[in-house]
Amino acid sequence: MKALQITDNHLLEVLELPAPQPATSEVLLRIKYVGFCGSDLNTYRGRNALALKPVIPGHEISAVIEAIGADVPAGLQVGQQVTVDPYTACGRCPSCRRRRFNACQHNETLGVQRHGAMREFIAVPWQKVIPAEGLKPQEVALIEPMSVGFHAVDRGQVTDADTVLVIGCGMIGVGAIVRASLRGATVIAMDLDDEKLALARQLGAAATINSGTDDIHARLQELTDGAGPDVVIEAVGAAVTYACAVNEVAFTGRIVCIGYAPTDVTLPTRFFVQKELDIRGSRNALPDDFRAVIRYLRRGQCPTDRLISSIVTPTDAAQALADWDSAPGKVFRILVKF
């Protein structure tokens, strides 16, 4: 079978590997599409300290069931369209004991700490398979990244009484915009790119801010009657956006942090106390978040064609990744079609 592997910095190669055979409690999947995500790009750049290298990337998965092990329960069938929960959970750490398996202390994500799905076939435990019928195969590859944004909204306990600022309108920010809008919140989207901001409006944002040209503080004060947003979701991972979240969130507001900043961030900690802030991390997603994204996409109201920047073959994937590296701000998702 064909597989893609990041073998060194700025080097993605096509390999020929033997196809796996499923164990008795595993499902063999035939891969249809896999998305390149930001962690894959950082692994390619040599900036992902968590990543195995060389590594087969890929955890945004669209697949069909090819074969089923003997101990797989009824409900999963050959030919069924599915996606995959790509995270592991040890079952013993504090996170797992609290049933927050997405934040397992010993998590290994497909394509990061262990080989991922950029290959024609992959065998996975049946418990990690999530049915995704009723969607186009390429849409199924969008479920995992959108679910991360969905989970962040859940972490922020967003309700219809809240005004929510989402900083960063990439794929994960898009997921946050959608779920906050579905919950009835008033959503403000912020980004440097006007095209992404126009898409944010289409997905439910009531207002937008271009952080490169607008006065952020003045605009937020105008939009919130001087109060600031009740919830800020940071989906960029930069010192300036972390500081913006703390500065602009309302008193007694909530900040949800998704983005990984490449260096330590200095923050105005006096606001932690003065505003009595809740500052929360948000990592990965839970199966219920995946299922919520599937229900949303089944409505057919999401312009998924605008979220897919390009679809490439394994042979063309190296050039696509190099192009993304040179112009990262213009890409939502690159899908590799197997």
Side-chain angles (χ1 to χ4, degrees):
M1 68 172 181
K2 283 188 172 59
L4 297 178
Q5 182 169 268
I6 299 172
T7 55
D8 205 343
N9 295 349
H10 297 95
L11 184 59
L12 180 75
E13 296 183 336
V14 181
L15 306 178
E16 285 290 340
L17 298 175
Q21 296 298 315
T24 58
S25 61
E26 289 183 330
V27 173
L28 180 66
L29 303 180
R30 178 185 290 272
I31 299 298
K32 293 296 185 180
Y33 296 89
V34 184
F36 275 123
C37 79
S39 64
D40 298 324
L41 179 60
N42 281 330
T43 301
Y44 174 79
R45 290 167 161 173
R47 301 178 189 174
N48 189 347
L50 298 176
L52 173 74
K53 195 178 284 186
V55 67
I56 297 172
H59 55 259
E60 302 175 358
I61 300 167
S62 169
V64 296
I65 296 177
E66 181 78 6
I68 293 175
D71 294 338
V72 175
L76 296 175
Q77 302 293 329
V78 172
Q80 191 173 15
Q81 181 169 261
V82 298
T83 190
V84 175
D85 175 350
Y87 325 117
T88 63
C90 71
R92 301 179 302 276
C93 73
S95 299
C96 288
R97 291 201 299 269
R98 296 184 181 104
R99 303 193 65 78
R100 289 166 63 176
F101 303 110
N102 59 296
C104 174
Q105 184 177 349
H106 307 291
N107 169 67
E108 293 183 352
T109 298
L110 283 173
V112 185
Q113 296 94 343
R114 57 195 174 115
H115 290 307
M118 288 274 182
R119 41 181 152 166
E120 292 182 88
F121 296 95
I122 188 172
V124 299
W126 69 265
Q127 297 92 336
K128 294 296 182 181
V129 175
I130 299 175
E133 296 99 338
L135 302 177
K136 298 175 183 177
Q138 60 267 37
E139 292 176 330
V140 177
L142 303 178
I143 294 168
E144 192 275 342
M146 290 190 74
S147 74
V148 176
F150 269 48
H151 184 70
V153 170
D154 209 42
R155 288 283 293 144
Q157 296 177 295
V158 171
T159 74
D160 58 0
D162 290 319
T163 296
V164 179
L165 171 65
V166 178
I167 304 177
C169 297
M171 272 298 301
I172 291 172
V174 159
I177 290 164
V178 167
R179 193 174 216 183
S181 300
L182 290 172
R183 290 191 174 185
T186 300
V187 180
I188 304 167
M190 188 167 83
D191 200 278
L192 287 163
D193 189 284
D194 284 330
E195 185 177 348
K196 289 182 178 179
L197 292 173
L199 179 59
R201 281 190 176 274
Q202 188 176 349
L203 291 168
T208 58
I209 298 173
N210 186 311
S211 53
T213 58
D214 293 335
D215 183 324
I216 295 170
H217 178 72
R219 183 86 172 112
L220 284 171
Q221 290 292 292
E222 173 191 352
L223 291 169
T224 63
D225 295 326
D230 305 291
V231 181
V232 177
I233 297 176
E234 200 288 332
V236 174
V240 64
T241 50
Y242 267 89
C244 177
V246 174
N247 287 328
E248 300 298 342
V249 71
F251 274 65
T252 66
R254 306 181 298 283
I255 297 172
V256 182
C257 306
I258 316 174
Y260 277 84
T263 59
D264 290 342
V265 176
T266 301
L267 296 172
T269 55
R270 63 189 175 90
F271 284 149
F272 294 12
V273 177
Q274 288 178 355
K275 292 185 176 183
E276 199 175 57
L277 298 180
D278 290 333
I279 301 177
R280 305 172 182 181
S282 183
R283 184 182 183 190
N284 301 330
L286 289 164
D288 278 350
D289 300 310
F290 280 70
R291 287 187 275 268
V293 174
I294 291 167
R295 287 193 296 271
Y296 164 67
L297 291 176
R298 281 177 181 156
R299 298 180 181 185
Q301 299 171 345
C302 181
T304 52
D305 56 328
R306 294 188 63 187
L307 300 179
I308 299 170
S309 303
S310 62
I311 297 175
V312 300
T313 66
T315 304
D316 297 328
Q319 186 59 54
L321 199 53
D323 292 344
W324 188 18
D325 182 30
S326 64
K330 291 298 182 181
V331 171
F332 276 105
R333 271 303 175 271
I334 298 168
L335 302 187
V336 180
K337 182 179 181 180
F338 285 88

